[in-house]
Amino acid sequence: MANKTHIHAQWSSRLAFMMAAVGSSVGLGNVWKFPYMTGESGGGAFVLIYMVSIALIGLPILMSEWLLGRLGQKNPITTMSTIAGRLKRSQAWALIGVGGILAAYLILSFYSVIGGWALAYIKYSVTGTFSGLDGDGVSSLFGNLLGSPGRLLAWHSLFMVLTIGVVAGGVSGGLERAAKLLMPALAVLLVVLVGYAATTGSFADGLAYLFRPDFSQLTGDVWLAALGHAFFTLSLGMGIMMAYGSYLSDDVNIGRTALTVVILDTVIALAAGMAIFPVVFANQLDPAAGPGLVFQTLPLAFGGMSGGILFGSLFFILLVFAALTSAISLLEPIVEWLEEQSPLSRLQATLVAGAATWLLGIATVLSFNDWSGFQPFGMSILDLLDYLTSKLMLPLTGLATILFVGWVMGRDEVRAQLNMSPTAFAVWRFTARFVSPIGVAIVFIFGLIN
Ligand code: PFF
């Protein structure tokens, strides 16, 4: 096993680390999932709870994962068992890492199917399919894609092959360096889209929908959905950020870096919402259309604007790119784990993990067509996988992580890692010990019994 011990190089620069972290966090979660969840949850109240969850729960947990990773210097399972061992605590804390790998597997299986939709939409935009489409046109375009298991499977397979190729080829670093250019380009295109949304005549309605909370919409499930999405969008509760933290050099200020990642991630999600909802209202579409929302609204925008073919193609290319940087961060920990648990080489482990994920993804592919009648617990397979991961597993592992840092680790050890002013640290520690865990616990319990 000695040859498999990772000797960690540290990130060449703070920027390289940031790109990996931003690459993992910014993805389909921001552009696809956030808008459709907002629409399904009735708008502003969800957005408000989501932002509160990001600030009071997501940010402290992101910092906790990074500081644990930097202390442990290994993969999440070994990191947790080493630190727990040193503190003479139960090895059960290593379950945080195990749960994370399982969640990453489940998430990647459907993430790849949606990444496949984005690939299909590159083709549609390049070939000018969106020009002149009305609301019915975009719905039937999307409906036709979902109705065809063969095409969905082909796009899902292509997305998975790309992901496997990047991980197996060991070029994730290159991809992350490219993120330095491509992420800002995605942000610029979102601004263009928000600009277009401002011309639709329904901009004010869109903004009001996003930012004027209607508290009558706040059910326990909406709270849980908002909390779960805070974990999903920041890639928390999977040990991924913990693994990244192991590459973090000692002079990086964890608090400031985490705040930057959280702000970028949130701004991109809000921009996507601001681009989408005005188009929804201008075309009398249903904000609660579900997972197809983005794919049924943005084509209307591209179809209606000048230069739409160019902007549309660029947009979906950049979306696929953002999805890929997230997907590789989901596949990596599975591969690493498999490599350590088995005699497989890195390449073999990547192929096995990728194939297993691809296989599970077929269930999501079929759930939109041949298996659409199969609704375990009254949910589609996509909703079920999302429920299991975002609403159950991620909050639980996140809770365990923050309890570990807040209550098991010593104050001074945490403080040395965070390197904050005494007041800032006191606020942080209070949040980590009380606000975040109690918040997760309450939302979790009320969300489940609701
Ligand atoms: N954070 C990614 C997104 O918002 O698209 C998705 C994701 C990546 C979730 C990595 C979880 C993860 F570990």
Side-chain angles (χ1 to χ4, degrees):
M1 278 303 182
N3 60 340
K4 289 194 174 175
T5 318
H6 293 277
I7 301 182
H8 272 129
Q10 287 187 330
W11 293 93
S12 54
S13 67
R14 178 166 174 259
L15 190 67
F17 172 79
M18 279 286 289
M19 284 335 297
V22 172
S24 175
S25 64
V26 174
L28 295 170
N30 307 64
V31 177
W32 160 72
K33 198 165 182 230
F34 169 75
Y36 99 72
M37 294 192 74
T38 301
E40 283 188 335
S41 306
F46 170 86
V47 176
L48 184 69
I49 305 300
Y50 155 78
M51 294 212 284
V52 172
S53 306
I54 291 272
L56 295 183
I57 296 167
L59 181 63
I61 294 184
L62 178 58
M63 293 169 69
S64 301
E65 288 204 19
W66 280 352
L67 78 85
L68 285 169
R70 183 157 75 181
L71 266 175
Q73 289 291 308
K74 287 274 160 45
N75 69 61
I77 300 175
T78 319
T79 285
M80 288 312 299
S81 86
T82 316
I83 302 178
R86 193 155 43 73
L87 299 170
K88 306 208 169 18
R89 298 304 174 115
S90 159
Q91 287 297 312
W93 288 103
L95 286 175
I96 292 180
V98 179
I101 286 168
L102 183 61
Y105 171 64
L106 298 177
I107 290 178
L108 185 55
S109 78
F110 69 79
Y111 204 82
S112 168
V113 176
I114 315 297
W117 295 358
L119 280 170
Y121 272 65
I122 297 181
K123 181 181 156 199
Y124 295 155
S125 26
V126 172
T127 52
T129 313
F130 303 148
S131 343
L133 285 188
D134 59 3
D136 290 339
V138 287
S139 298
S140 60
L141 183 67
F142 183 68
N144 285 342
L145 176 66
L146 287 203
S148 161
R151 273 192 288 156
L152 280 186
L153 183 62
W155 291 115
H156 159 55
S157 309
L158 178 58
F159 188 86
M160 207 59 226
V161 165
L162 290 173
T163 309
I164 294 172
V166 172
V167 172
V171 293
S172 325
L175 197 71
E176 273 143 15
R177 274 193 296 283
K180 198 163 67 179
L181 274 177
L182 298 179
M183 289 291 180
L186 179 64
V188 169
L189 269 181
L190 279 171
V191 172
V192 170
L193 279 168
V194 175
Y196 174 81
T199 68
T200 57
S202 298
F203 198 49
D205 293 340
L207 292 195
Y209 186 76
L210 273 175
F211 297 117
R212 195 177 300 149
D214 168 5
F215 290 107
S216 68
Q217 304 277 350
L218 268 186
T219 60
D221 195 50
V222 169
W223 282 85
L224 187 57
L227 175 77
H229 189 60
F231 283 97
F232 185 91
T233 192
L234 293 175
S235 307
L236 297 177
M238 258 151 297
I240 287 175
M241 289 300 186
M242 209 186 281
Y244 283 4
S246 70
Y247 292 93
L248 203 50
S249 67
D250 283 335
D251 56 349
V252 171
N253 183 319
I254 287 185
R256 214 181 301 140
T257 313
L259 194 61
T260 313
V261 170
V262 164
I263 290 175
L264 283 175
D265 188 83
T266 308
V267 166
I268 295 212
L270 294 177
M274 288 164 66
I276 286 164
F277 286 105
V279 178
V280 168
F281 295 117
N283 293 280
Q284 288 91 41
L285 301 175
D286 178 11
L293 186 69
V294 179
F295 295 91
Q296 287 166 296
T297 47
L298 291 187
L300 283 175
F302 294 125
M305 67 173 65
S306 54
I309 293 192
L310 176 69
F311 286 134
S313 311
L314 273 177
F315 177 83
F316 284 110
I317 289 172
L318 292 170
L319 181 59
V320 165
F321 176 81
L324 264 180
T325 56
S326 302
I328 58 170
S329 79
L330 284 161
L331 185 56
E332 292 264 16
I334 312 174
V335 169
E336 258 182 47
W337 174 79
L338 205 59
E339 210 186 343
E340 285 176 6
Q341 299 298 315
S342 72
L344 298 180
S345 71
R346 165 124 188 137
L347 177 64
Q348 290 165 333
T350 310
L351 291 175
V352 170
T357 316
W358 173 82
L359 203 63
L360 183 61
I362 295 178
T364 299
V365 163
L366 294 176
S367 74
F368 298 111
N369 35 68
D370 293 359
W371 290 3
S372 59
F374 175 56
Q375 301 256 330
F377 306 102
M379 287 183 253
S380 70
I381 292 176
L382 177 64
D383 285 343
L384 180 67
L385 287 170
D386 183 49
Y387 190 90
L388 277 176
T389 51
S390 290
K391 294 182 182 167
L392 291 181
M393 301 172 78
L394 307 187
L396 277 180
T397 39
L399 180 61
T401 308
I402 197 92
L403 285 175
F404 188 84
V405 172
W407 294 91
V408 176
M409 283 175 70
R411 183 177 190 280
D412 293 340
E413 191 170 27
V414 176
R415 189 164 172 193
Q417 282 293 323
L418 291 182
N419 192 17
M420 293 170 144
S421 74
T423 324
F425 181 69
V427 173
W428 188 86
R429 191 161 146 88
F430 180 78
T431 311
R433 282 165 73 91
F434 299 101
V435 181
S436 314
I438 294 175
V440 176
I442 292 179
V443 171
F444 194 67
I445 292 165
F446 282 101
L448 289 188
I449 60 176
N450 201 251

